[in-house]
Amino acid sequence: MSKIKVSELFYSLQGEGQYVGVPSVFLRTFGCNFTCSGFGMPRGQFSTERNRVDPNAYNDYRDLPLVSTGCDSYASWDPKFKHLSPLMEVSTIVEKIKELLPDGTFGGDKHLIITGGEPLLGWQRSYPELIQACMDIGLTHLTFETNGTQELKDELKEYLNHMATTSGLEVNFSISSKLPCSGEKWEDAIVPDVVKNYLTIKGNRSYFKFVVSTTEDVSDARRAQAEYEAAGIKIPVYLMPVGGVNSVYEMNERQVADYCRDNGLRFSPRIQVPLFKNAWGT
Ligand code: SF4
């Protein structure tokens, strides 16, 4: 029986990227290879906001405070908060998914989003069992929200390709490569060979989603796009405004939208921020 360490499991609307607005189950796995402490900070500085959250004061993920700088899902990878992310049997996860879905199935047009943390870091062996059980209750669309640095293991790749070919499962990778504004190093974050491997899944409609706030970030996004294209990767590119809280999000939403319109790139909102205040579980 496979297990996954689960930070959050909830049903909401996809807030970002190609499938914005689609009703979806979100499985947020625990663990990430990055910390992205640079988000929302002046370049070269790192947020310490999450360090001020006392992990012992919380027993429920949904009660955690939001942060306006650094990674907004800090509790999905910071070991201090690991007690809030239980290691769950896949069968238990699937039972909870059934409870979350309005009619107990993925029928109609509901997607499964496996996110993180970094969902391809630690749990790849458990995904075939999970995906199979979800397909048994009607799943047809699956998205991995990844930072694009973790190799897709052969076993999972073969399984996904088999399901895409024999059962028409659509498998997408929403690849949010981290630019220097995240605080991560370019050479660790932009890894074309890893991304190329994701795109071998049959029928995938994967895309890049770069988080930006300044013109420098936008230049970095264009540089990353060029680096990927030089490696033969040509998939849709979305720019998305930084901001886990309304005050930050609203500051640069319009500028990013204008840039996308004027330069022929796709704009991704983050509808969970204005709609749901980006609360945990939304
Ligand atoms: S890659 Fe994503 S989950 Fe990991 S630290 Fe960065 S923003 Fe957070």
Side-chain angles (χ1 to χ4, degrees):
M1 193 59 87
S2 309
K3 292 184 179 175
I4 299 172
K5 196 163 170 61
V6 176
S7 292
E8 285 189 291
L9 185 57
F10 59 95
Y11 178 62
S12 187
L13 299 177
Q14 169 59 287
E16 308 171 355
Q18 193 152 261
Y19 285 112
V20 70
V22 176
S24 304
V25 171
F26 289 78
L27 171 64
R28 189 184 301 288
T29 62
F30 186 85
C32 188
N33 53 318
F34 287 159
T35 64
C36 295
S37 302
F39 277 137
M41 298 293 291
R43 202 163 269 234
Q45 293 183 32
F46 297 98
S47 169
T48 55
E49 213 180 324
R50 76 171 194 282
N51 298 338
R52 295 196 287 276
V53 182
D54 175 6
N56 300 316
Y58 299 93
N59 290 316
D60 190 323
Y61 214 89
R62 287 167 295 188
D63 297 332
L64 286 166
L66 301 178
V67 292
S68 55
T69 54
C71 168
D72 61 359
S73 27
Y74 60 92
S76 68
W77 51 263
D78 187 330
K80 280 189 309 195
F81 299 93
K82 68 177 185 212
H83 64 291
L84 300 175
S85 298
L87 189 62
M88 293 169 69
E89 302 267 5
V90 165
S91 56
T92 309
I93 296 171
V94 175
E95 283 312 307
K96 288 198 181 297
I97 288 175
K98 284 185 197 163
E99 286 167 22
L100 287 169
L101 288 163
D103 56 359
T105 78
F106 282 97
D109 188 17
K110 307 182 203 88
H111 294 189
L112 174 64
I113 297 165
I114 305 183
T115 187
E118 170 45 54
L120 297 176
L121 182 67
W123 312 107
Q124 292 196 33
R125 268 203 225 147
S126 301
Y127 292 149
E129 186 183 336
L130 172 76
I131 295 163
Q132 188 59 58
C134 288
M135 289 180 71
D136 291 345
I137 52 168
L139 180 72
T140 56
H141 287 77
L142 165 68
T143 297
F144 288 99
E145 291 188 331
T146 173
N147 63 26
T149 63
Q150 299 303 304
E151 268 305 337
L152 189 61
K153 304 251 186 318
D154 286 346
E155 195 185 336
L156 180 58
K157 187 164 85 171
E158 276 161 29
Y159 175 79
L160 293 174
N161 260 325
H162 182 65
M163 286 301 129
T165 309
T166 59
S167 306
L169 178 69
E170 183 179 305
V171 181
N172 296 314
F173 294 82
S174 170
I175 304 156
S176 184
S177 299
K178 297 299 175 253
L179 302 173
C181 62
S182 69
E184 301 300 329
K185 288 196 189 118
W186 186 276
E187 57 274 25
D188 296 336
I190 310 298
V191 196
D193 284 346
V194 166
V195 170
K196 235 178 181 171
N197 204 17
Y198 302 162
L199 305 182
T200 61
I201 304 299
K202 292 192 177 55
N204 80 88
R205 298 180 61 217
S206 301
Y207 56 92
F208 288 117
K209 189 178 65 184
F210 296 113
V211 176
V212 297
S213 66
T214 64
T215 48
E216 208 176 353
D217 301 341
V218 172
S219 304
D220 287 335
R222 302 309 298 253
R223 181 181 155 208
Q225 181 186 15
E227 205 166 297
Y228 284 121
E229 281 190 7
I233 300 167
K234 200 158 177 9
I235 54 177
V237 173
Y238 288 79
L239 298 187
M240 186 170 80
V242 76
V245 293
N246 257 330
S247 55
V248 178
Y249 177 72
E250 283 168 358
M251 251 181 348
N252 58 35
E253 183 188 23
R254 179 60 197 266
Q255 283 127 296
V256 176
D258 285 348
Y259 181 89
C260 287
R261 182 197 57 211
D262 296 343
N263 291 277
L265 294 172
R266 297 184 183 193
F267 171 74
S268 170
R270 308 186 78 201
I271 64 167
Q272 69 274 30
V273 180
L275 274 183
F276 307 123
K277 310 288 176 244
N278 205 25
W280 300 100
T282 63

